[in-house]
Amino acid sequence: HTPADVGVSLVLAAVLVLAAVVTVGAVHRGNPTVYLTESGQCYHKADCKYIVGKDNTTAVTLRQAKASGYDACTWCFGHSGT
């Protein structure tokens, strides 16, 4: 590889890392991670008393949970449904 090839590779790597950081930040601000259980019909926050210590949880985005028909856990989210 020439020095120019290495330079291009480093720039490309930096762009990919920046894109990943921006994507993760956007997910957490407008589309937080929520948790589903194998048998449940609600999505939960990570500290929900109904899922803490369970091994059978799946992390998804809030949008994914809503689009899949899950309802908000009333203990986590109160009665607002957010």
Side-chain angles (χ1 to χ4, degrees), residues 9-79:
S9 295
L10 290 175
V11 169
L12 181 57
V15 168
L16 292 174
V17 168
L18 180 59
V21 169
V22 169
T23 300
V24 168
V27 166
H28 289 291
R29 280 193 303 275
N31 196 16
T33 300
V34 295
Y35 298 86
L36 310 176
T37 62
E38 291 175 0
S39 60
Q41 297 180 2
C42 296
Y43 55 87
H44 306 269
K45 292 182 180 180
D47 62 349
C48 178
K49 67 180 182 179
Y50 296 115
I51 67 161
V52 169
K54 288 194 175 184
D55 294 331
N56 65 338
T57 60
T58 302
V60 298
T61 65
L62 179 59
R63 286 188 194 122
Q64 288 172 322
K66 287 182 175 183
S68 297
Y70 287 87
D71 294 317
C73 168
T74 55
W75 189 84
C76 297
F77 294 92
H79 298 290

